[in-house]
Amino acid sequence: MAGQNCGATIALLGVLLLGAARPGAEASEIALPPGSDITVLIKPGTPALPLKPCYIIHNKRQLTTLIIRSGEKVNFSFNCQNPEKHFVIETQKSIDCMSGPCPFGEVALQPSTSVLPTLNRTFIWDVRAHKSIGLELQFSVPRLRQVAPGVSCPDGVTYTISGRIDATVVRIGTFCSNGTVSRIKMQEGVKMALHLPWFHKRNFSGFSIANRSSIKRLCIIESVFEDEGSATLMSANYPDGFPEDELMTWQFVVPPHLRASVSFLHFNVSNCEKKEERVEYYIPGSTTNPEVFKLGDKQPGNMAGNFNLSLQGCDQDAQNPGVLRLQFQVLVQHPQNESNKIYVVDLSNEQAMSLTIEPRPIRLSRKFVPGCFVCLESRTCSTNLTLTSGSKHRISFLCDNLTRLWVNAEKTISCMDQRYCYKRSYSLQVPGDILQLPVQLHDFSWKVLVPKDRLSLALLPAQKLQQHTSEKACNTSFSYLVASTVPGQDLYFGSFCPGGSIRQIQVKQNISVTLRTFAPGFQQEASRQGLTVSFIPYFKEEGVFTVTPDTKSKVYLRSPNWDQGLPSLTSVSWNITVPSGQVACLTFLKERTGVVCQTGRAFMIIQEQRTRAEEVFSLEDEVLPKPSFHHHSFWVNISNCSPVSGKQLDLFFWVLLTPRTIDLTVIVSVIVGGAALLLVALGLIICLVRKKKKKTTSKGLSVGVYNGNVNTQMPMQPKKFPKGRKDSDSHEYAVIDDTMVYGHLLQDSNGSFQRPEVDTYRPFLGPMGDCPPSPPLTGSRAPTAKLTTDQPSSSVPAESESEPYTFSHPNNGNTDIPLLDTHKPSEPEE
C-alpha cells in the first residue's frame, strides 16, 4: 500500500512538472530499422478517460490505435495536451535463438526513450529457445525485489518475467528495484517486460542475457545477501497454482558470518495422484543432503553460508487438481549467543500438556528487525514452536533479543471417577524445565475437570493469597487467575497473589487456574508459587473463600465478576476466622450494591459462628450495614437474583483485626448494673417480708405453687429447717403475667389485642460442617437477628474457636413466636 501511494505521488509530480514544461502536445517520429524484429504499438490506456476525447493524428486522420513495424518510419501527434492520460505505448522485440545464435549481452532499449512520446511505456523481449538451452537474466545493482501481482513499485519501474512450458506461458514473478534477486535462469525461452512511467527518464534496461546449459527445471532464482536483511519470494504463477509436476529452485548466497532462516508465510497443497509435493534443501556441510520437508513442517534455520531451496510438484488429480502455491521469507542476520546453546525440555512424564514459545506482541517498525526463531534440534526453526507431552525436546534460540519471546503452557487435569477422585490432590506447579528456559513464562494454565454434580474442588495455596483490588494491588511478579470453565457460565473469581489472608478457595465445578507472570524476576520468586487442588464433596455454592485476616493490615475482598457483576442466581460465601483475643471490624465500601432484580431477590447474610445469630439484608432495597464488630468467626454470604441488565450485583468490603480490650464505659456499666441489681434484691426481700405478714392473717389465691413433693434435703444430712415444708410458705412464689400488667399497651382502638408482625426465614436443613448459612426466603426484607440453640447436635464433635462452624436453624413447627429486634452494631463488650 505504501508503494502504491509513493508511486501515485511520483506520477502526480511527473504530471505537474511535464505539464508545466510543455504548452501542448508535440509531433513525434519513430523509425524502426529493417530486420530489427521490433514492433511499436500505441493504444488506449486502461482505463480510458472519456471526459474529453483524444486521438492520434497520422496522415491527417484521427486514430485510436497506431502500429509501427520493423523498417517503417512514422510521424504522428496527438490532438490533446495530456495524451499520457489516454494512451500507452508498447515496444516488443522478438529474439529467435532456435534458428540462429542468441544476441547475448546487455539488452538496450529500442527505440530509445528519448524518441518516444511521453506515454507510459512497456518494453517486451520475447526470447524463444530450445528445450535443452538455458537462458540467464542477469540484473545489475540495484537488484530486484519480488512483489505480489498487482502491487505497484514505489518508483513505478516494474519487471514482469515469464517462462514457457511448451505452448503454455508461466509467470515467474513481478519484481521491483532494490532487492536481492540477482539472476533468473530459465529453460525453453523467456518473456521479459519492463514497465516505465511516462515521466521516467530511464534509458537502460538494467539486465543482460547469457547462455547457460540446461537446468532441467522450470527456473532457478538467485538471491544475494551482502548483510543482514530479508527477502520474500513466491512460487511460479503465485497466487495461482504451480505447474503440475514441475521443479523450481531458489539459490541463496549468504556471507559465512551470517545465519539464514526460512519461514513459510502461506502455502497450499494440491491433490496428488503420483509422487508427493515437498521442499528440498541442499545445505553445504550437511550429511543428509538433500534434506526433505513437507510444506507443513517447520523449516530449517540457523544455516551458515549458501544454501538451495527447491519446490517439487506432483502428478495432480485430473478431476480435482487443487492448487499448489508457496510464499516464504528468508531472514539473514548475525548469529546470536544463544544459537549454539541447547535446552532440554523433558515432557515425557507429563500428560495432556502443551507448551508454546511464540513472539510477544510488539510495535511494528519500518526498519529491519532481526528475526526471533526457536529451533528444534538446532535446525528446524520457526517464529513459534509448540511442544507436546510424552516426549523429550531439545531446543535452541536464534534471536537477537530473547525478551521478544515468551512461553505459554496449558495442562488438563481430568478425574471423572467419583470413588477414585474423592480426597485426591494434585500439585499445580510449573515444571523446572520450563523455568530454566531463557525466555519469560507468560501463562501456565491448569484446567481441572470434575464429575458434574458429584464432586467440587478446593484450592490450597503454599502461601496465603491476597485478592488483587484497586485499593490494594498485588506487587508480586506473578498472580493466579481463577475462573470457571463450565460451558455457558462467565464467572471469574478474581486475581490472587501470595502474601495475603485467603488460605483456601472452594469452587463448585470445573475451573481454570492460570499462573501469569508480570516481570522477568519470576524465576527468583518461583519458590513462592505452588497450589494444591483437592477433590472434595460436592456443594451448591459457586465459591467459598476461607479467610484468616492478618492482624497488621486490612483484608480487601470483592465478589467474583467484579466488572460484569455476579451471575444470576448464584451464591458466594466468605468464611472469616477471628482469632482468640481479636475483634474483627467488617466494613462495606459502598452504601448500596446498586443491583436491580428482574426476578427473585438478592440477599446478604452475616452470621456469627459461635452465637449462631445471623442478620439478613436485602441487597436490592436496603442500605448496606454500618461497620460492625465481631468477636468470633463469622460468615458473609451473598445470593444473587436475576438482575436487570446493567444493574448487576457486586460487593466490596474489608476486614480489620484489632486486639480485644475492655472499654471504660463497659466497666462503668457493670458497676452501675451491679448497684441496680443490689437495690432490686433488697426491694424483693422487703416485699417478701410484707407478703409473709399478710399471709398470716389472711390467705389469698396463690398465683403459682411450687411442687412440694420434691425432696430438698441431701441424703445423710441433718435438717436445716426446724419447720416443715407444709407449715412454711418458703416454697410459694408469685408469677406475674406481663399481659395483666402491660396488656393495655397491646390493645388497638377497638379494644382487641394486637399481635406483632414477624419475619420468616428458611431453615437450614443441610449437614453440619464447613457450610455457609443458607439464604432466606425471597419474601424476607427487614434485617433480622435470629438466635439459635446454644448447643450443637450431639452427633457433631466440638470444634475450637479457630475452626469454621455451621449453624442449624431451629424448626419447632411454631413460627408465630415474635423474633427479637435487631439493634445497630456497636463496639463489643467483654
Side-chain angles (χ1 to χ4, degrees):
M1 185 62 69
Q4 294 178 353
N5 295 337
C6 184
T9 303
I10 295 175
L12 179 59
L13 180 60
V15 170
L16 295 176
L17 292 177
L18 292 183
R22 52 176 184 150
E26 299 178 355
S28 300
E29 180 184 275
I30 297 178
L32 301 179
S36 61
D37 291 328
I38 298 176
T39 302
V40 176
L41 172 63
I42 302 175
K43 61 181 182 179
T46 304
L49 300 178
L51 299 178
K52 190 175 182 180
C54 183
Y55 297 99
I56 305 170
I57 306 301
H58 174 60
N59 293 334
K60 298 182 180 181
R61 291 187 301 169
Q62 293 183 345
L63 305 175
T64 57
T65 302
L66 178 63
I67 301 177
I68 306 171
R69 294 180 173 86
S70 179
E72 295 181 350
K73 181 179 180 180
V74 177
N75 293 300
F76 62 93
S77 63
F78 301 95
N79 67 345
C80 59
Q81 294 185 353
N82 52 355
E84 70 278 355
K85 294 184 178 180
H86 301 269
F87 297 97
V88 297
I89 185 170
E90 283 186 1
T91 299
Q92 181 169 336
K93 180 178 178 62
S94 297
I95 302 175
D96 187 3
C97 295
M98 301 181 69
S99 57
C102 284
F104 299 122
E106 186 176 350
V107 176
L109 297 183
Q110 294 178 329
S112 173
T113 55
S114 60
V115 302
L116 295 178
T118 53
L119 304 177
N120 292 334
R121 289 152 282 180
T122 300
F123 294 89
I124 302 174
W125 295 269
D126 191 355
V127 184
R128 295 181 178 271
H130 197 271
K131 289 184 178 183
S132 61
I133 297 177
L135 299 175
E136 178 180 288
L137 303 178
Q138 298 179 351
F139 302 94
S140 58
V141 178
R143 301 183 178 97
L144 302 187
R145 174 175 56 91
Q146 188 172 8
V147 296
V151 175
S152 298
C153 297
D155 58 358
V157 179
T158 305
Y159 290 91
T160 302
I161 304 173
S162 301
R164 279 195 181 88
I165 302 176
D166 296 328
T168 304
V169 176
V170 179
R171 186 177 65 252
I172 302 301
T174 303
F175 300 85
C176 300
S177 300
N178 298 322
T180 62
V181 176
S182 59
R183 293 188 296 176
I184 298 179
K185 304 173 187 179
M186 282 175 288
Q187 192 164 310
E188 198 180 344
V190 62
K191 188 173 185 179
M192 175 76 172
L194 171 61
H195 307 276
L196 297 175
W198 62 268
F199 54 85
H200 208 287
K201 298 299 183 180
R202 178 169 175 166
N203 203 23
F204 60 93
S205 66
F207 72 96
S208 60
I209 300 179
N211 184 21
R212 288 292 178 265
S213 59
S214 174
I215 59 175
K216 295 181 174 58
R217 63 200 66 203
L218 175 63
C219 70
I220 298 175
I221 298 178
E222 182 183 75
S223 181
V224 178
F225 292 87
E226 296 179 352
D227 202 348
E228 289 187 322
S230 64
T232 300
L233 298 163
M234 285 152 270
S235 58
N237 276 347
Y238 189 89
D240 299 327
F242 186 70
E244 181 179 9
D245 195 22
E246 280 294 331
L247 177 63
M248 181 177 181
T249 299
W250 292 266
Q251 293 178 338
F252 297 97
V253 179
V254 181
H257 65 281
L258 299 177
R259 298 292 182 268
S261 298
V262 177
S263 58
F264 286 1
L265 304 179
H266 180 76
F267 68 89
N268 284 86
V269 294
S270 56
N271 299 317
C272 298
E273 279 189 342
K274 297 179 180 179
K275 303 180 184 178
E276 185 179 10
E277 296 169 340
R278 64 190 184 275
V279 290
E280 297 179 353
Y281 290 85
Y282 181 84
I283 304 172
S286 174
T287 58
T288 58
N289 282 325
E291 296 189 15
V292 180
F293 293 82
K294 294 181 180 180
L295 274 72
D297 293 339
K298 300 294 183 182
Q299 302 303 310
N302 198 22
M303 293 178 287
N306 305 335
F307 68 97
N308 294 350
L309 166 61
S310 298
L311 174 65
Q312 174 67 64
C314 66
D315 292 333
Q316 300 173 350
D317 184 354
Q319 301 298 326
N320 183 22
V323 175
L324 170 62
R325 55 177 167 231
L326 172 64
Q327 181 186 42
F328 65 97
Q329 182 186 62
V330 176
L331 187 66
V332 175
Q333 61 192 30
H334 290 286
Q336 308 303 319
N337 295 332
E338 292 287 341
S339 60
N340 296 323
K341 189 173 181 180
I342 303 298
Y343 295 89
V344 178
V345 181
D346 189 359
L347 304 180
S348 55
N349 295 326
E350 297 287 349
Q351 294 181 352
M353 177 179 168
S354 64
L355 180 148
T356 301
I357 304 173
E358 58 189 352
R360 64 194 308 166
I362 58 172
R363 292 184 179 180
L364 298 178
S365 174
R366 293 186 178 182
K367 297 181 181 180
F368 170 73
V369 178
C372 216
F373 294 96
V374 189
C375 303
L376 189 61
E377 301 296 337
S378 300
R379 179 54 61 81
T380 305
C381 301
S382 61
T383 55
N384 56 72
L385 177 66
T386 298
L387 308 178
T388 56
S389 56
S391 301
K392 182 183 292 187
H393 309 274
R394 295 166 55 88
I395 65 173
S396 60
F397 297 91
L398 179 62
C399 186
D400 65 319
N401 184 4
L402 289 176
T403 60
R404 294 168 55 190
L405 297 174
W406 62 19
V407 178
N408 291 291
E410 182 177 294
K411 182 176 182 179
T412 300
I413 299 174
S414 178
C415 194
M416 294 301 170
D417 187 342
Q418 178 182 359
R419 294 171 297 178
Y420 173 78
C421 302
Y422 180 58
K423 291 187 178 181
R424 289 186 65 88
S425 299
Y426 296 88
S427 176
L428 307 185
Q429 204 159 18
V430 180
D433 282 359
I434 298 177
L435 297 178
Q436 55 97 25
L437 293 176
V439 293
Q440 179 188 348
L441 172 65
H442 177 235
D443 276 357
F444 196 111
S445 297
W446 294 270
K447 292 186 177 180
V448 188
L449 309 180
V450 297
K452 185 178 180 182
D453 298 338
R454 293 180 179 272
L455 291 176
S456 294
L457 297 168
L459 292 174
L460 299 170
Q463 296 184 8
K464 290 191 296 184
L465 301 176
Q466 169 197 330
Q467 187 171 14
H468 176 82
T469 63
S470 56
E471 280 71 15
K472 189 173 183 180
C474 289
N475 59 0
T476 55
S477 62
F478 71 97
S479 64
Y480 293 100
L481 284 63
V482 182
S484 171
T485 58
V486 177
Q489 184 183 52
D490 183 16
L491 182 58
Y492 174 63
F493 290 98
S495 176
F496 307 89
C497 59
S501 300
I502 301 174
R503 60 184 176 91
Q504 182 176 261
I505 301 175
Q506 295 172 281
V507 291
K508 181 170 71 173
Q509 291 194 42
N510 302 343
I511 59 168
S512 170
V513 180
T514 300
L515 184 148
R516 175 166 295 174
T517 65
F518 303 99
F522 169 69
Q523 273 77 1
Q524 285 71 36
E525 293 189 354
S527 59
R528 302 182 65 188
Q529 59 100 13
L531 282 177
T532 300
V533 60
S534 301
F535 293 81
I536 62 175
Y538 177 76
F539 58 89
K540 293 186 177 181
E541 287 199 292
E542 295 302 329
V544 178
F545 300 86
T546 302
V547 184
T548 303
D550 188 359
T551 58
K552 299 179 181 179
S553 60
K554 295 179 181 178
V555 179
Y556 290 91
L557 299 167
R558 65 184 186 184
S559 56
N561 272 28
W562 173 255
D563 297 330
Q564 295 85 19
L566 195 66
S568 300
L569 306 176
T570 58
S571 178
V572 180
S573 293
W574 290 265
N575 182 3
I576 301 173
T577 301
V578 180
S580 178
Q582 299 286 326
V583 177
C585 177
L586 173 65
T587 304
F588 295 92
L589 274 70
K590 295 193 302 183
E591 289 189 356
R592 297 180 181 272
T593 62
V595 64
V596 177
C597 294
Q598 186 173 11
T599 58
R601 302 298 301 274
F603 283 93
M604 177 177 67
I605 299 176
I606 301 176
Q607 185 182 63
E608 286 275 2
Q609 297 186 12
R610 171 167 288 192
T611 62
R612 301 191 178 183
E614 69 177 20
E615 292 179 288
V616 183
F617 300 90
S618 172
L619 297 178
E620 183 180 15
D621 303 327
E622 298 176 8
V623 176
L624 291 175
K626 299 295 182 181
S628 57
F629 297 89
H630 302 271
H631 289 79
H632 309 289
S633 302
F634 62 97
W635 287 99
V636 176
N637 168 270
I638 56 173
S639 298
N640 198 14
C641 58
S642 293
V644 176
S645 177
K647 301 293 183 180
Q648 304 297 322
L649 172 59
D650 54 69
L651 195 68
F652 195 7
F653 60 94
W654 55 260
V655 179
L656 177 63
L657 292 182
T658 56
R660 187 184 301 180
T661 58
I662 301 177
D663 200 333
L664 182 61
T665 56
V666 176
I667 299 175
V668 173
S669 300
V670 170
I671 296 174
V672 173
L677 289 174
L678 181 59
L679 292 175
V680 171
L682 292 174
L684 288 175
I685 293 174
I686 295 172
C687 291
L688 290 174
V689 171
R690 288 183 177 179
K691 185 172 184 66
K692 179 179 178 181
K693 290 181 178 181
K694 287 182 180 181
K695 278 181 169 284
T696 56
T697 57
S698 173
K699 271 200 170 183
L701 180 62
S702 296
V703 180
V705 180
Y706 187 83
N707 186 359
N709 295 325
V710 179
N711 181 14
T712 60
Q713 296 296 117
M714 296 181 64
M716 307 301 294
Q717 293 291 334
K719 294 184 179 180
K720 296 184 182 292
F721 297 97
K723 285 182 66 175
R725 292 280 295 176
K726 61 182 179 179
D727 300 325
S728 172
D729 57 0
S730 62
H731 64 284
E732 299 177 3
Y733 61 92
V735 176
I736 302 175
D737 190 348
D738 290 346
T739 59
M740 301 301 295
V741 179
Y742 305 101
H744 65 284
L745 299 177
L746 301 176
Q747 293 180 358
D748 58 11
S749 57
N750 298 327
S752 61
F753 285 90
Q754 297 181 355
R755 300 188 66 84
E757 293 183 355
V758 296
D759 202 348
T760 61
Y761 63 93
R762 186 170 66 188
F764 176 69
L765 301 177
M768 305 291 285
D770 295 340
C771 296
S774 57
L777 294 174
T778 58
S780 299
R781 287 179 176 270
T784 307
K786 302 187 178 76
L787 297 180
T788 63
T789 57
D790 292 337
Q791 297 296 330
S793 173
S794 60
S795 62
V796 180
E799 294 178 307
S800 64
E801 184 174 328
S802 61
E803 294 294 324
Y805 293 84
T806 299
F807 301 93
S808 176
H809 301 288
N811 183 12
N812 300 326
N814 183 7
T815 59
D816 296 332
I817 302 175
L819 301 178
L820 298 179
D821 294 334
T822 301
H823 300 281
K824 293 183 179 180
S826 60
E827 187 67 27
E829 297 179 359
E830 184 67 13

